[in-house]
Amino acid sequence: MSTPTQQKALFLQTKHGEFTVATRPVPKPGPGELLVKNEATGLNPVDWKIQAFGLFIEKYPAILGMDAAGVVEAVGDGVTRFKAGDQVIYEGVPTEDNDHATFQQYSLVSADLAAKLPDALTFEQGATIPLGLTTAVVGLYSQNGGPMLTPPWAEGGKGQYSDTPIVVIGGASAVGAFTIQFAKLSGFSPIIATASLKNAALLKGFGATHVLDRNLPAASLREEIVKIAGGPVATVYDAISLPETQNPAFDLLAPGGKLLTVLPPAVEEDKAKDAQGRTIVHVHGPIQLPQNVEFGKLLFKKLTGLLETGDIKPLRLEVIPGGLEAIATGLEKIKNGQVSGTKLVVRPHENA
Ligand SMILES: NC(=O)c1ccc[n+]([C@@H]2O[C@H](COP(=O)([O-])OP(=O)(O)OC[C@H]3O[C@@H](n4cnc5c(N)ncnc54)[C@H](OP(=O)(O)O)[C@@H]3O)[C@@H](O)[C@H]2O)c1
């Protein structure tokens, strides 16, 4: 079948405005790019935050969406790693031309930042992976100021950090779940995560050795973690990063330790005063950020292998019926904290 010239896309009409589905042209891939027919797209907290807080985007109407899996429809000049018909996953990015975000039926992506989707995974599973995974790995392995650990795909990287404890605050979040999985591949032990206890088995399946109730008072949390880890720890990844998680998370650090956060630092000033080398590092996970692209190219070359071996697993997911029209309802659920340990996914061609 030939590529259609028009497609359905979900537009955020204005800053703080409404989401509506409308028609727009299917873009053409430039040199080095893929045109992907998006079979599944995942929802992220950033999507509702852009709408609610007016973040990041100045040009409207805008198309959002960062997680997708689909089929390569066409390739631009110079692309050799992919051909039409390949099944891929990739991370989208809202851009002024609206061609590179994923809440639409067809998007463009640089071939260097896409990975083949293993046959054993569905498109929906593929769409649970990109942003959560890249934010986890950028934080652990490449964020400026972060621990800059050796990635598990580099020589000697797998298992390198054996007998080293790590704490993941919010292990049931997408970022947290991938942080646990990569911590396991890197050899960390124990891997201590916080979550609602109903998600304990899920997190242990990803590699957590201990799951602590996210509602424990700060002092009890610290006491438990010190007991399990044998003392304060050098690396804490706070995948939630609200003030109520960052402050207790900072208190878990050993001198010289690093607290990785996914939101701007919010640790009280008096704690930071006598920090003894403890630092807070704000992770910027999107792989299309200029500082992440070179690392991203390596990662996306290795990603298919990591998924094929099962070393890295997709997230638990729920498909919301209704296609692009259903995204606004899904984002509302995420905003209201009604989604637990699960990635919401829609199929952009449904109801088309
Ligand atoms: N800086 C970046 O580049 C970047 C990139 C991606 C995401 N983010 C941000 O990172 C955060 C996480 O994103 P995500 O997509 O991973 O989130 P998500 O998957 O939507 O996270 C949902 C989970 O968060 C957990 N949670 C909420 N409050 C918690 C708390 N106080 N303690 C422990 N767990 C808690 C819940 O766990 P339970 O169900 O177990 O209670 C829930 O399952 C968001 O704020 C997002 O905007 C930043």
Side-chain angles (χ1 to χ4, degrees):
M1 240 170 50
S2 62
T3 306
T5 55
Q6 296 289 311
Q7 62 165 328
K8 294 262 161 54
L10 182 73
F11 288 93
L12 181 56
Q13 292 296 349
T14 56
K15 204 175 257 219
H16 309 291
E18 297 293 318
F19 285 110
T20 49
V21 173
T23 300
R24 73 179 294 259
V26 173
K28 294 213 174 345
E33 283 189 323
L34 310 177
L35 173 68
V36 181
K37 180 181 184 193
N38 296 322
E39 297 290 352
T41 181
L43 279 53
N44 284 290
V46 71
D47 305 319
W48 73 255
K49 291 180 188 178
I50 288 172
Q51 185 205 28
F53 306 136
L55 304 177
F56 306 128
I57 290 178
E58 293 307 327
K59 188 165 178 275
Y60 289 87
I63 299 177
L64 314 185
M66 298 186 73
D67 286 340
V71 181
V72 175
E73 181 76 18
V75 301
D77 287 348
V79 173
T80 53
R81 266 178 71 224
F82 298 96
K83 59 180 185 328
D86 284 346
Q87 303 193 350
V88 293
I89 59 173
Y90 70 95
E91 192 172 295
V93 57
T95 47
E96 287 205 350
D97 60 15
N98 277 335
D99 289 341
H100 298 79
T102 66
F103 291 165
Q104 56 187 333
Q105 294 177 321
Y106 295 86
S107 317
L108 300 179
V109 65
S110 162
D112 287 335
L113 295 176
K116 284 199 180 128
L117 180 69
D119 292 340
L121 298 188
T122 63
F123 291 119
E124 290 76 13
Q125 287 176 313
T128 69
I129 294 170
L131 183 63
L133 182 141
T134 61
T135 307
V137 297
V138 166
L140 293 173
Y141 308 116
S142 88
Q143 176 68 49
N144 199 12
M148 298 286 272
L149 306 170
T150 307
W153 57 82
E155 199 172 335
K158 213 165 174 178
Q160 183 171 334
Y161 303 95
S162 58
D163 298 324
T164 310
I166 190 168
V167 174
V168 182
I169 303 292
S173 67
V175 177
F178 285 113
T179 302
I180 291 171
Q181 296 190 65
F182 275 94
K184 182 179 177 200
L185 264 186
S186 286
F188 280 92
S189 181
I191 299 171
I192 308 163
T194 67
S196 296
L197 289 184
K198 66 180 178 195
N199 288 322
L202 179 75
L203 272 53
K204 287 192 173 165
F206 287 135
T209 57
H210 300 76
V211 179
L212 300 177
D213 189 347
R214 62 175 261 196
N215 294 315
L216 276 180
S220 317
L221 180 74
R222 188 170 191 284
E223 198 178 307
E224 285 291 317
I225 288 176
V226 166
K227 216 189 301 166
I228 297 163
V233 295
T235 310
V236 176
Y237 199 134
D238 181 356
I240 305 304
S241 301
L242 297 171
E244 62 264 31
T245 59
Q246 280 195 39
N247 281 286
F250 189 81
D251 290 339
L252 302 171
L253 289 178
K258 292 186 189 288
L259 170 62
L260 297 164
T261 66
V262 287
L263 299 177
V267 171
E268 290 151 14
E269 257 177 49
D270 57 330
K271 277 191 206 296
K273 251 188 222 152
D274 181 26
Q276 296 181 285
R278 296 173 181 90
T279 50
I280 308 161
V281 183
H282 184 185
V283 178
H284 296 279
I287 213 62
Q288 314 235 15
L289 290 175
Q291 69 267 33
N292 289 341
V293 166
E294 287 310 311
F295 175 75
K297 288 179 186 174
L298 281 175
L299 168 67
F300 273 80
K301 276 208 186 94
K302 301 291 177 185
L303 186 53
T304 308
L306 293 170
L307 296 169
E308 270 169 356
T309 54
D311 278 343
I312 297 299
K313 301 177 187 67
L315 303 180
R316 187 167 72 187
L317 67 93
E318 180 189 333
V319 176
I320 20 179
L324 295 170
E325 301 272 4
I327 287 176
T329 314
L331 293 180
E332 200 60 26
K333 278 175 119 185
I334 297 175
K335 182 179 177 181
N336 294 335
Q338 293 165 326
V339 184
S340 175
T342 303
K343 180 66 120 175
L344 298 184
V345 173
V346 308
R347 299 180 177 123
H349 292 267
E350 200 181 309
N351 286 352

